[in-house]
Amino acid sequence: GAVVSQHPSRVICKSGTSVKIECRSLDFQATTMFWYRQFPKKSLMLMATSNEGSKATYEQGVEKDKFLINHASLTLSTLTVTSAHPEDSSFYICSAVSDSTYEQYFGPGTRLTVT
Amino acid sequence: SQKIEQNSEALNIQEGKTATLTCNYTNYSPAYLQWYRQDPGRGPVFLLLIRENEKEKRKERLKVTFDTTLKQSLFHITASQPADSATYLCALDIAGGYALNFGKGTSLLVTP
């Protein structure tokens, strides 16, 4: 079946640094990808919609200058958390919508810890 | 504001029984509703999608019902097994698109 990967699976960074998370669709093309974050025992919250070749659309309350999204190809979207703070520590999950089947697949998630 | 509520945080049942999970929503007219399984430290895995004009859908031991009048979906796992232990998430579409609004999930524990 279709697979979406995320890299890294876990990352620890120091406060004030930036960290990049990759989301790849491995065997299908995806013009549209989504980024979610999930706090412990909470639901997934949509952060932004990533569209290949155009600017990302951010949900209300999500700072676009802090969470930079780049969707430069049909199989890769990246989320960069800039000037990370401990409150950015969370589980970040991406999903990708297949251009051919319109089915949506989720990645395995990236655990970010900011110290 | 739009709300999705899953009936309980945790549900414990005995192996072989039927697990029934509830998802209620308010201030919403979803085009479809989905159920996902999430294991600890992992991303959600799609289980079933049911559209607004469908009452019921089945897949192997899984059954989903969708009552748009009650604004409720029920998710059933029959002949439950310990391997079914996980968190189950209800998700609704946002404005008919692919982006989803998730409930908090119900943690199911199936004991032998």
Side-chain angles (χ1 to χ4, degrees):
Chain A
V3 176
V4 173
S5 70
Q6 285 186 236
H7 178 79
S9 57
R10 293 176 178 271
V11 57
I12 300 173
C13 70
K14 291 192 173 176
S15 195
T17 62
S18 295
V19 61
K20 181 188 285 187
I21 302 170
E22 292 184 347
C23 176
R24 290 183 188 274
S25 56
L26 297 184
D27 52 3
F28 63 96
Q29 292 186 330
T31 300
T32 301
M33 294 185 177
F34 299 101
W35 286 96
Y36 295 83
R37 66 189 294 183
Q38 185 177 32
F39 291 107
K41 297 191 184 296
K42 299 288 187 184
S43 61
L44 280 77
M45 296 295 294
L46 179 67
M47 297 176 66
T49 302
S50 172
N51 296 301
E52 188 270 338
S54 64
K55 287 184 180 179
T57 305
Y58 291 82
E59 295 301 299
Q60 194 171 12
V62 178
E63 299 175 57
K64 61 178 172 59
D65 294 330
K66 180 167 184 61
F67 298 101
L68 300 179
I69 292 172
N70 187 353
H71 194 153
S73 80
L74 290 173
T75 59
L76 174 64
S77 174
T78 60
L79 170 69
T80 301
V81 183
T82 63
S83 187
H85 290 286
E87 57 265 31
D88 298 325
S89 298
S90 189
F91 194 46
Y92 291 86
I93 303 170
C94 72
S95 71
V97 180
S98 169
D99 287 347
S100 57
T101 66
Y102 304 108
E103 293 185 16
Q104 178 169 198
Y105 303 92
F106 281 81
T110 295
R111 172 74 59 193
L112 169 64
T113 303
V114 184
T115 59
Chain B
S1 62
Q2 296 174 334
K3 277 189 182 177
I4 302 172
E5 290 183 2
Q6 295 191 237
N7 60 324
S8 56
E9 280 195 21
L11 180 65
N12 292 357
I13 64 166
Q14 202 169 16
E15 182 176 10
K17 303 286 187 186
T18 296
T20 298
L21 285 66
T22 305
C23 175
N24 294 294
Y25 58 92
T26 54
N27 298 321
Y28 233 129
S29 293
Y32 59 85
L33 184 148
Q34 300 185 44
W35 284 89
Y36 286 82
R37 170 182 173 139
Q38 187 176 27
D39 290 285
R42 308 290 295 173
V45 174
F46 171 75
L47 295 175
L48 280 167
L49 179 151
I50 187 164
R51 301 190 184 281
E52 59 176 335
N53 60 346
E54 296 175 312
K55 296 282 186 196
E56 180 179 300
K57 211 155 206 188
R58 292 174 186 259
K59 179 181 172 183
E60 297 173 354
R61 294 185 295 113
L62 309 179
K63 184 177 89 170
V64 172
T65 62
F66 195 11
D67 188 328
T68 54
T69 303
L70 289 179
K71 295 187 183 292
Q72 181 181 79
S73 173
L74 299 179
F75 177 75
H76 307 273
I77 306 175
T78 58
S80 59
Q81 304 165 0
D84 295 327
S85 299
T87 295
Y88 291 87
L89 307 170
C90 163
L92 278 71
D93 63 281
I94 297 175
Y98 290 101
L100 297 171
N101 199 354
F102 283 86
K104 282 187 183 178
T106 296
S107 175
L108 174 67
L109 178 63
V110 181
T111 52

